[in-house]
Amino acid sequence: MHTELISIGSELLTGKINKDNAYLGEKFQDIGLPLSLEITVPDDRDIFKKALRDSLSRSDIVVTTGGLGPTFDDLTREVIAEVLGRKLTFKPELLREIRQKFARRNLRMPPNNRQQAYLIDGAMPIPNRIGTAPGQIVELKNKKGQKRIIMLPGPPNELIPMTEESILPYLKGWGRRLLIKKHVFHIAGITESGIYEKVKDIISRKEREGKQEISFSILPHRGIIDIVLVGKGSNESLLNRFLDRKRKELYRAIGGFIYGEGDACLEEVVGRLLIRKNYTIAIAESCTGGLLSNLITNVPGSSQYFLHGVVTYSNQSKMDILKVRKATLKRYGAVSREVAEEMAEGVRRLAKSNIGLATTGIAGPTGGTPTKPVGLVYIAISKAEKVICREYRFNGSRKDIKEKVAVYALELLRRTLKK
Amino acid sequence: MHTELISIGSELLTGKINKDNAYLGEKFQDIGLPLSLEITVPDDRDIFKKALRDSLSRSDIVVTTGGLGPTFDDLTREVIAEVLGRKLTFKPELLREIRQKFARRNLRMPPNNRQQAYLIDGAMPIPNRIGTAPGQIVELKNKKGQKRIIMLPGPPNELIPMTEESILPYLKGWGRRLLIKKHVFHIAGITESGIYEKVKDIISRKEREGKQEISFSILPHRGIIDIVLVGKGSNESLLNRFLDRKRKELYRAIGGFIYGEGDACLEEVVGRLLIRKNYTIAIAESCTGGLLSNLITNVPGSSQYFLHGVVTYSNQSKMDILKVRKATLKRYGAVSREVAEEMAEGVRRLAKSNIGLATTGIAGPTGGTPTKPVGLVYIAISKAEKVICREYRFNGSRKDIKEKVAVYALELLRRTLKK
């Protein structure tokens, strides 16, 4: 069973982000009808017609989004009718519903909305609670079996309820009687290739056991790496056992690097660890410039453990607020292991917290030297009079570097708290 | 001249939002090579091969994104080479560059990154400053003229600089001779409907003069409102004069609200004002939790004027670090005009800076009361012994509120500095 998606709209080819694709892609995968292709076409009759013909020749289900509006460049109804060789018929009952929607908002219906009351012969209308354009489903029977065209409007606030309320129930049971289960493992504090080396034997092959099949993929984003494990099959308990075995293999290889699964977010994981240990934390930032405090305080309830943060950009403020010694700054420079350690200890003492966390480094784009290049960073953690410090070298833009430092600092903190 | 885009990656068909499309769509339109079609394919050799063959048969330029990584499901290089009937050749100089990227970060290159050093015969490599995968451009000559394939990596932080630095300069001059000019005006410190009321007579109609046409749109995002003015035409000087007239109308109506145009960003505008006045600044944050310092330090060179920030989440730290009086906290509470003012003055005195900026409020989701609801915020600015303070009420999630407070604080600072 092949499913394809055609997105219609010139705006999608000239700068507008298409969120319908992502939404439908996920939902269709969940019901066992994963998209095998997506095509975006402009509001152009010929290009759309050609794409639709190609798509129909390859697939069992073609979903279209967009082009159902009331203006001259809304071509979906007409083009699909033409390609199928069917007529468009005016439906008074559809017009009545559209008029009522305007009436409820005390508006008169503009004349051009009338075109939304045309239905392709033999199609079923799909109710649209939010907007004025009904969707349509056309079922085609031919020698090769049955094909379906599903037409949805483009705005997500119309498309999403129509999908949940009508399309998914309509398609349910059509999907290959296939269960699809997904586990996402989040990893920080290591590079993509570094983690790949450790897990390639586990993840680089599709495996099957009878009709159950699993596969892995790696998705890096902003200093964080996700390993995605997808299982497909028809027998739920066999599939669960298969996934569980793979999950355990993964944890045996890289369990220490996995900070969470699914919706878990690193700053929340760290927050929960602090609460569990009944620890408080204070943060001293130089190169991250407030980002680390910002991430930690994004977590609701963080005031329970976060006492304060300081962003000491100048040497003077490192001395005044954190009591970093002038001699240390002079001898080693602001970007050094020694200063990072004194910052972490200084901020912990100032706050009387259990933990002090500090960052210092060169975020660039300027300010680097041959011995201290852009991207050189020290992260220090002070805990009960003991202090640890790590050196890193990151690349990317100023913002990229800030983001990576923040993720690595949170991960270092997580591992320290786990001990 | 037809341009098509092929996005490669199973994740794009199963729930991941594709932002590269929107970015490339806009850039290619700007240079007169608008995309006529976009196709998303999974990491599947056969589907990709078929899509590429179709795309090459229709277009003059085919751009691909994704599939250049170091793992087994990165197929772009191989599939394109196969479809073109060309070999992939190992390039020691590319490997050297990839190795150097790891070396600069004190890492050993994992063996699988070696596959990124293969170039399609006859292709030009496109440098990638951020990631390890170089892009490639292949030029094909045949009876019908010349075709081009441009291969880019998927991560936007790699794709965007490569497009700006290599691809757009390479393609410039190839496009159609339709001029498209865009002005974007950035506005903060006012709601979308507030600004719409002031400009609706100017922006709510398309206007033309001969073949020159202009239109406006409003795009609100994260506390900032953009007004976009687009002009299309064939005569550059007529179009420029038309746009200029509209721009002046807009400034007459709402000039005081516009903090910048185009690439301008509010924290940079504020930074330039501080430099021009030779002022230094220190920041005290409660509800914004470090976000304000983070935004200010995102600007390269901000260490010139930003002395330090403090994130005083606890009452104790407000007293210890900022010398907020216990009596003030007790009488008015931490979220009050009086505490905001003492925070702004306290942080200015601590840093001996010209300006002190402070935020205090309730970011939620809990912690609100009937008299002090979630979203109640005070922003104070202390300057030369004078202090001003404003009260606001924002809505949205915890993160939404933090972002809006940061934008309103920067805008209040901008207007104070402008006086």
Side-chain angles (χ1 to χ4, degrees):
Chain A
M1 185 81 87
H2 276 278
T3 308
E4 290 194 11
L5 176 61
I6 303 182
S7 312
I8 299 131
S10 297
E11 73 281 7
L12 300 172
L13 292 168
T14 55
K16 190 172 173 174
I17 290 177
N18 188 341
K19 293 189 177 166
D20 292 342
N21 283 359
Y23 168 77
L24 292 172
E26 187 167 6
K27 291 294 169 187
F28 275 73
Q29 185 182 48
D30 285 350
I31 58 167
L33 294 167
L35 301 180
S36 52
L37 201 77
E38 184 275 339
I39 305 173
T40 307
V41 298
D43 300 315
D44 177 297
R45 198 176 289 271
D46 294 329
I47 296 177
F48 180 17
K49 221 184 277 179
K50 172 87 171 61
L52 179 64
R53 286 209 176 98
D54 289 349
S55 202
L56 279 170
S57 75
R58 289 182 297 249
S59 337
D60 307 288
I61 299 173
V62 177
V63 182
T64 71
T65 66
L68 296 179
T71 70
F72 65 98
D73 59 2
D74 289 300
L75 302 166
T76 301
R77 279 176 296 264
E78 281 176 50
V79 168
I80 294 182
E82 196 184 325
V83 167
L84 299 182
R86 297 195 183 186
K87 270 201 203 138
L88 277 168
T89 302
F90 175 71
K91 296 284 172 183
E93 66 275 20
L94 290 180
L95 184 66
R96 210 157 36 235
E97 283 170 28
I98 296 168
R99 264 194 220 288
Q100 278 166 3
K101 279 186 185 148
F102 282 96
R104 274 198 291 272
R105 298 175 55 200
N106 281 338
L107 297 169
R108 217 169 43 80
M109 190 194 83
N112 47 316
N113 279 78
R114 201 172 182 274
Q115 75 179 64
Q116 296 181 315
Y118 281 80
L119 201 65
I120 294 173
D121 281 359
M124 287 182 282
I126 309 167
N128 180 346
R129 277 195 294 111
I130 311 296
T132 52
Q136 305 193 24
I137 297 180
V138 189
E139 297 180 345
L140 310 166
K141 283 201 182 85
N142 65 11
K143 283 164 264 168
K144 291 183 195 164
Q146 200 168 32
K147 284 178 191 284
R148 288 165 171 70
I149 303 179
I150 299 172
M151 303 153 61
L152 292 168
N157 66 331
E158 302 178 23
L159 174 137
I160 292 173
M162 291 168 80
T163 304
E164 319 257 313
E165 293 161 16
S166 303
I167 306 306
L168 298 178
Y170 166 75
L171 289 173
K172 223 176 160 182
W174 274 84
R176 282 175 273 164
R177 283 258 151 238
L178 185 67
L179 292 161
I180 299 193
K181 303 213 167 195
K182 191 159 78 173
H183 291 280
V184 183
F185 306 90
H186 306 297
I187 290 158
I190 184 169
T191 62
E192 183 189 2
S193 39
I195 204 76
Y196 181 65
E197 278 303 302
K198 292 180 194 294
V199 294
K200 65 180 175 194
D201 291 342
I202 302 172
I203 74 166
S204 56
R205 50 181 193 271
K206 268 194 185 172
E207 283 183 64
R208 26 170 79 252
E209 282 187 359
K211 288 186 174 167
Q212 329 307 317
E213 180 186 305
I214 61 111
S215 64
F216 281 99
S217 54
I218 297 192
L219 294 176
H221 52 101
R222 303 178 163 212
I224 287 170
I225 297 156
D226 286 345
I227 295 186
V228 184
L229 165 60
V230 176
K232 299 178 185 176
S234 47
N235 182 320
E236 183 154 18
S237 70
L238 284 181
L239 186 61
N240 282 343
R241 252 183 290 161
F242 195 3
L243 284 168
D244 209 47
R245 213 165 51 244
K246 284 286 136 186
R247 195 171 159 277
K248 279 183 188 143
E249 267 182 51
L250 201 66
Y251 270 88
R252 266 197 300 277
I254 53 159
F257 290 97
I258 297 172
Y259 68 77
E261 295 185 28
D263 293 335
C265 115
L266 187 49
E267 48 271 29
E268 280 172 11
V269 170
V270 166
R272 277 197 298 273
L273 283 171
L274 288 166
I275 289 174
R276 194 191 308 160
K277 299 221 162 187
N278 205 16
Y279 279 171
T280 54
I281 188 168
I283 291 177
E285 301 183 63
S286 188
C287 63
T288 42
L291 174 59
L292 203 41
S293 294
N294 184 40
L295 289 173
I296 286 187
T297 61
N298 276 346
V299 180
S302 45
S303 56
Q304 238 183 298
Y305 45 84
F306 177 74
L307 299 184
H308 67 235
V310 295
V311 185
T312 49
Y313 241 45
S314 65
N315 279 353
Q316 194 62 46
S317 66
K318 289 183 183 77
M319 293 186 288
D320 287 351
I321 305 178
L322 299 175
K323 311 300 174 204
V324 172
R325 282 170 298 175
K326 195 170 192 168
T328 314
L329 283 162
K330 213 168 164 184
R331 182 154 172 203
Y332 301 103
V335 178
S336 63
R337 180 179 293 274
E338 290 76 10
V339 166
E341 291 179 355
E342 289 192 21
M343 285 172 70
E345 286 179 315
V347 81
R348 183 179 60 74
R349 288 200 187 120
L350 176 67
K352 301 186 187 71
S353 58
N354 302 97
I355 307 272
L357 171 61
T359 64
T360 183
I362 302 163
T366 59
T369 65
T371 51
K372 295 191 174 177
V374 168
L376 174 68
V377 170
Y378 295 91
I379 301 175
I381 294 179
S382 160
K383 182 184 156 194
E385 303 299 323
K386 268 172 63 182
V387 60
I388 59 159
C389 184
R390 297 267 181 285
E391 181 186 306
Y392 302 89
R393 280 157 203 253
F394 297 108
N395 55 20
S397 70
R398 183 178 176 87
K399 276 193 197 176
D400 292 339
I401 289 175
K402 285 177 77 176
E403 282 183 356
K404 287 179 190 168
V405 179
V407 167
Y408 274 70
L410 288 171
E411 174 64 12
L412 187 63
L413 175 59
R414 185 185 74 87
R415 290 192 209 168
T416 308
L417 292 171
K418 280 289 234 187
K419 271 175 200 155
Chain B
M1 185 81 85
H2 276 279
T3 308
E4 291 193 10
L5 176 61
I6 303 180
S7 312
I8 299 132
S10 298
E11 72 279 9
L12 300 171
L13 291 169
T14 54
K16 190 174 171 171
I17 289 175
N18 188 340
K19 293 188 177 167
D20 292 341
N21 282 359
Y23 168 79
L24 291 171
E26 184 168 8
K27 291 295 168 185
F28 275 72
Q29 185 185 49
D30 285 350
I31 59 167
L33 294 167
L35 300 180
S36 52
L37 201 76
E38 184 275 341
I39 305 173
T40 306
V41 297
D43 300 315
D44 177 298
R45 200 176 286 269
D46 294 327
I47 296 178
F48 179 17
K49 222 184 275 180
K50 172 85 172 62
L52 179 65
R53 286 210 175 97
D54 290 348
S55 202
L56 278 170
S57 74
R58 290 182 298 248
S59 338
D60 307 287
I61 300 173
V62 177
V63 182
T64 70
T65 65
L68 296 179
T71 69
F72 66 97
D73 59 2
D74 290 301
L75 302 167
T76 302
R77 279 176 296 263
E78 280 176 50
V79 167
I80 294 182
E82 195 183 326
V83 166
L84 299 182
R86 296 195 185 186
K87 270 198 200 141
L88 277 168
T89 303
F90 175 70
K91 296 285 174 184
E93 65 274 20
L94 289 180
L95 184 66
R96 210 153 39 231
E97 282 170 27
I98 296 168
R99 264 194 219 286
Q100 277 165 5
K101 279 185 184 148
F102 282 94
R104 274 198 290 275
R105 300 177 55 200
N106 281 340
L107 297 169
R108 215 172 42 82
M109 190 194 84
N112 48 306
N113 279 78
R114 202 170 181 275
Q115 76 179 65
Q116 297 182 316
Y118 280 80
L119 201 65
I120 294 173
D121 281 358
M124 288 183 283
I126 310 167
N128 180 346
R129 276 196 293 109
I130 310 297
T132 51
Q136 304 195 22
I137 297 180
V138 189
E139 296 180 345
L140 310 166
K141 283 201 182 83
N142 65 11
K143 284 164 263 170
K144 293 183 191 162
Q146 201 169 32
K147 285 178 189 283
R148 285 162 174 69
I149 302 179
I150 299 173
M151 302 152 63
L152 292 168
N157 67 330
E158 302 178 21
L159 175 137
I160 293 173
M162 291 169 80
T163 305
E164 318 256 312
E165 292 161 17
S166 303
I167 305 305
L168 298 177
Y170 167 76
L171 290 172
K172 224 176 161 181
W174 277 79
R176 253 187 296 165
R177 292 255 147 246
L178 172 72
L179 291 164
I180 299 184
K181 302 212 167 196
K182 192 159 78 171
H183 292 280
V184 183
F185 306 91
H186 305 297
I187 291 158
I190 185 170
T191 61
E192 184 187 1
S193 43
I195 204 76
Y196 181 68
E197 277 305 301
K198 292 179 195 294
V199 294
K200 65 180 174 194
D201 292 340
I202 301 171
I203 73 164
S204 56
R205 51 183 191 272
K206 263 194 191 175
E207 284 184 64
R208 29 169 77 252
E209 284 186 359
K211 288 184 175 167
Q212 328 308 318
E213 182 186 304
I214 62 109
S215 63
F216 280 100
S217 53
I218 297 191
L219 295 175
H221 51 102
R222 303 177 165 214
I224 287 169
I225 297 156
D226 287 345
I227 296 185
V228 184
L229 166 59
V230 175
K232 296 180 185 175
S234 47
N235 182 319
E236 182 153 20
S237 69
L238 284 180
L239 186 61
N240 281 344
R241 252 182 290 161
F242 195 2
L243 286 169
D244 209 46
R245 215 165 50 243
K246 285 286 136 187
R247 194 172 162 277
K248 280 183 186 142
E249 269 181 52
L250 201 67
Y251 270 89
R252 270 197 299 276
I254 52 158
F257 290 96
I258 297 173
Y259 68 76
E261 294 184 30
D263 293 335
C265 110
L266 187 48
E267 47 272 28
E268 279 173 12
V269 169
V270 166
R272 277 196 298 274
L273 284 170
L274 288 166
I275 289 174
R276 194 190 306 157
K277 299 219 162 188
N278 205 16
Y279 280 172
T280 53
I281 188 167
I283 291 177
E285 302 182 63
S286 187
C287 63
T288 42
L291 175 59
L292 202 43
S293 294
N294 183 39
L295 289 173
I296 286 188
T297 61
N298 276 346
V299 180
S302 46
S303 55
Q304 242 182 292
Y305 45 85
F306 176 75
L307 300 184
H308 67 236
V310 296
V311 184
T312 48
Y313 240 46
S314 65
N315 280 351
Q316 194 61 45
S317 66
K318 289 184 182 76
M319 295 187 286
D320 287 350
I321 305 179
L322 299 174
K323 312 300 173 202
V324 172
R325 282 171 297 175
K326 195 168 190 168
T328 315
L329 282 163
K330 211 166 165 185
R331 182 155 172 203
Y332 301 103
V335 177
S336 64
R337 179 179 295 274
E338 291 74 12
V339 166
E341 292 179 354
E342 288 192 22
M343 286 172 70
E345 286 180 315
V347 80
R348 184 180 58 74
R349 289 201 187 118
L350 176 66
K352 301 185 186 71
S353 59
N354 302 98
I355 308 271
L357 172 60
T359 64
T360 183
I362 301 161
T366 58
T369 66
T371 52
K372 295 192 175 179
V374 168
L376 174 68
V377 170
Y378 296 91
I379 301 175
I381 295 180
S382 160
K383 182 185 154 194
E385 303 300 324
K386 269 170 64 181
V387 59
I388 59 161
C389 184
R390 296 265 181 288
E391 182 185 306
Y392 303 88
R393 279 158 203 255
F394 297 108
N395 54 22
S397 70
R398 183 177 176 88
K399 276 193 195 176
D400 291 340
I401 290 175
K402 285 176 79 175
E403 283 184 353
K404 286 180 190 169
V405 180
V407 166
Y408 274 71
L410 288 170
E411 174 63 13
L412 187 64
L413 177 59
R414 185 185 75 88
R415 289 192 206 168
T416 308
L417 293 171
K418 278 291 234 185
K419 271 177 200 152

